[in-house]
């Protein structure tokens, strides 16, 4: 059913405005945002679109187009909804915005999310950022997209129990069509890098293994790199984050770390270096080099950071073996979700057929494929008509 019609059915009134926030693909810079590194994500045309209206009550009422779930959140008691199965992201965002001093008014919000859930393309960030934008707008607050991203991230940390970094929410808010965003995750300064892929496209391959950051080893990895940072500080007392460690500095201090923590740190340090090289490669139009950096990133995430798993490895291996694929790696948190591959446009169908077949034979079920289209982050479509 169409969004506006569905809104009327769910809330018994007409929607007033429509907004959206984007899903994302991270091109490179994986598991470095929470280590103070730079990342290179792009916002996707897969997004979370919301229809909204003020409802004159003190409740935030949320519903979705594709599931029957609905939650009514009392804006005077936003802290009470952590156990909601659906609606906790929205309650968390409202809670953080309240704490930050935003004026919130009761409203109805209908969610229509085309970012596949559990795909590693940040459906949760898109829901959070769309909520933050809607609440900020309807309450008549001044809009600062980066601040809305930070509040959304805090909701995920404090309310939903995932100790994620800022990357997903930031690009979901600030992404730009045709560009990747080179984001400094400490200062939150960013540059838009034109994503000119010549005769290539980005193919996203979803391994269709359900994953969930709350249950995954995501928080465990964060603890490991925090410990590695503490140990390295014994000899580098000024060190503020792991991303500032130079490769040679890490090698010289290998003895300070356990073998496992050394590998975790080596991923972060080498990945930060690959981000900078990738930006240079993209700026120079050197897609072959960019592709090799993607392959190296996957290897590091597999062997040193151990966040890939057999499904993502099967996809990356099959893609990397395909002659018209310049490079392929897992994207996002890992443990499930998608790979991103740079593929010659004219060979995309063949790529999907070949990689899909190899994957099915190895894993026993199908992967899904999308040709990525970049888009703006938050889009304000304005009046619903
Ligand atoms: C998830 C988190 C991000 C980031 C990535 C890994 O998507 O939400 O903050 O840490 O994993 O790069």
């Amino acid at each position: 059913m169409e969004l506006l019609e569905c809104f009327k059915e769910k809330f018994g009134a007409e929607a007033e405005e429509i907004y959206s926030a984007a899903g994302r693909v991270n091109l490179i810079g994986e598991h470095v945002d929470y280590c103070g590194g730079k990342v290179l994500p792009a916002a996707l045309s897969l997004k979370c679109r919301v229809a909204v209206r003020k409802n004159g009550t003190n409740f935030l009422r949320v519903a979705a187009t594709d599931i029957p779930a609905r939650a009514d959140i009392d804006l005077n008691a936003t802290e009470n909804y952590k156990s909601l199965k659906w609606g906790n992201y929205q309650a968390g965002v409202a809670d953080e915005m309240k704490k930050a001093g935003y004026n919130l008014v009761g409203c109805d919000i209908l969610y229509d999310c085309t970012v596949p859930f559990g795909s590693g393309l940040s459906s949760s960030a898109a829901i959070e950022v769309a909520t933050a934008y809607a609440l900020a707008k309807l309450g008549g607050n001044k809009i600062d997209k980066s601040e809305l991203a930070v509040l959304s991230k805090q909701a995920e940390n404090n309310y939903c129990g995932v100790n994620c970094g800022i990357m997903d929410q930031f690009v979901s808010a600030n992404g730009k069509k045709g560009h990747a965003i080179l984001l400094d995750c400490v200062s939150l300064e960013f540059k838009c890098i034109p994503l000119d892929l010549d005769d290539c496209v980005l193919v996203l391959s979803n391994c269709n293994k359900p994953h969930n950051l709350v249950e995954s080893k995501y928080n465990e990895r964060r603890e490991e790199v925090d410990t590695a940072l503490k140990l390295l500080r014994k000899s580098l007392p000024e060190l503020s984050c792991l991303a500032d460690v130079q490769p040679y500095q890490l090698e010289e201090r290998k003895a300070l770390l356990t073998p496992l923590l050394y590998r975790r740190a080596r991923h972060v340090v080498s990945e930060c270096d690959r981000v900078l090289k990738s930006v240079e490669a993209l700026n120079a139009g050197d897609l072959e080099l960019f592709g090799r950096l993607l392959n190296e990133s996957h290897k590091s995430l597999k062997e040193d950071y151990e966040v890939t798993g057999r499904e993502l490895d099967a996809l990356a291996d099959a893609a990397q073996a395909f002659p018209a694929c310049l490079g392929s790696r897992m994207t996002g948190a890992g443990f499930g979700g998608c790979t991103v591959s740079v593929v010659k446009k004219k060979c995309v169908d063949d790529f999907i057929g070949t990689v899909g077949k190899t994957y099915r034979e190895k894993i026993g079920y199908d992967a899904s494929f999308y040709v990525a289209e970049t888009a703006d982050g938050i889009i304000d479509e304005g009046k619903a008509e």
Side-chain angles (χ1 to χ4, degrees), residues 24 26 29-34 164-168 213 218 332-333:
R24 65 99 188 89
N26 187 22
E30 215 63 88
H31 284 280
V32 300
D33 61 347
Y34 53 80
C164 67
I166 184 63
M167 170 171 75
D168 303 347
L213 288 194
Y218 187 88

Side-chain angles (χ1 to χ4, degrees), residues 83-293:
S83 59
L84 281 183
K85 279 221 166 62
W86 189 85
N88 62 332
Y89 290 127
Q90 292 91 327
V93 168
D95 195 51
E96 288 296 331
M97 291 178 77
K98 235 173 61 178
K99 285 194 259 169
Y102 278 73
N103 177 48
L104 303 186
V105 298
C107 54
D108 298 337
I109 309 185
L110 180 66
Y111 293 78
D112 186 37
C113 196
T114 55
V115 190
F117 180 69
S119 61
L121 302 176
S122 287
S123 54
S124 52
I127 291 174
E128 290 153 7
V129 172
T131 305
Y133 186 76
L135 290 176
K137 240 350 240 299
L138 294 174
N141 302 276
K142 196 178 126 271
I143 306 275
D144 175 336
K145 290 184 188 172
S146 301
E147 190 174 293
L148 295 179
V150 170
L151 292 167
S152 299
K153 170 205 177 261
Q154 284 169 4
E156 188 134 350
N157 297 159
N158 302 332
Y159 213 87
C160 308
V162 178
N163 221 348
C164 67
I166 184 63
M167 170 171 75
D168 303 347
Q169 291 81 3
F170 195 91
V171 67
S172 177
N174 286 310
K176 189 166 170 212
K177 189 175 168 64
H179 294 76
I181 300 287
L182 176 63
L183 170 67
D184 179 320
C185 297
V186 176
S187 68
L188 298 190
E189 278 165 17
F190 68 101
K191 265 197 211 135
C192 298
I193 309 290
L195 203 50
D196 182 5
L197 296 178
D198 195 26
D199 60 347
C200 290
V201 288
L202 296 176
V203 179
L204 305 173
S205 313
N206 187 346
C207 76
N208 286 331
K209 176 193 176 195
H211 80 149
N212 174 338
L213 288 194
V214 182
E215 286 153 21
S216 76
K217 293 192 178 298
Y218 187 88
N219 288 350
E220 188 180 299
R221 290 292 174 279
R222 279 211 67 158
E223 282 162 25
E224 288 166 352
V225 289
D226 285 350
T227 310
L229 175 63
K230 277 191 204 124
L231 293 171
L232 289 171
R233 276 199 186 125
K234 285 188 183 160
S235 94
L236 292 166
E238 306 292 305
L239 192 64
S240 68
C241 61
L242 212 48
D244 285 348
V245 177
Q246 297 303 312
Y248 79 89
Q249 292 178 312
L250 179 64
E251 288 314 307
E252 285 172 7
R253 287 160 185 84
K254 197 171 171 178
L256 288 176
L257 304 176
T258 63
L260 182 128
L261 291 181
Y262 166 72
R263 282 190 290 120
R264 301 294 190 251
R266 183 168 65 181
H267 165 70
V268 173
V269 169
S270 63
E271 185 77 354
C272 288
D273 189 46
R274 283 187 287 273
V275 173
L276 301 181
K277 288 187 176 140
S278 295
V279 173
E280 281 171 24
L282 284 173
N283 284 338
D286 190 345
L287 285 181
E288 301 270 341
L289 173 57
F290 178 56
R292 285 200 298 278
L293 291 162

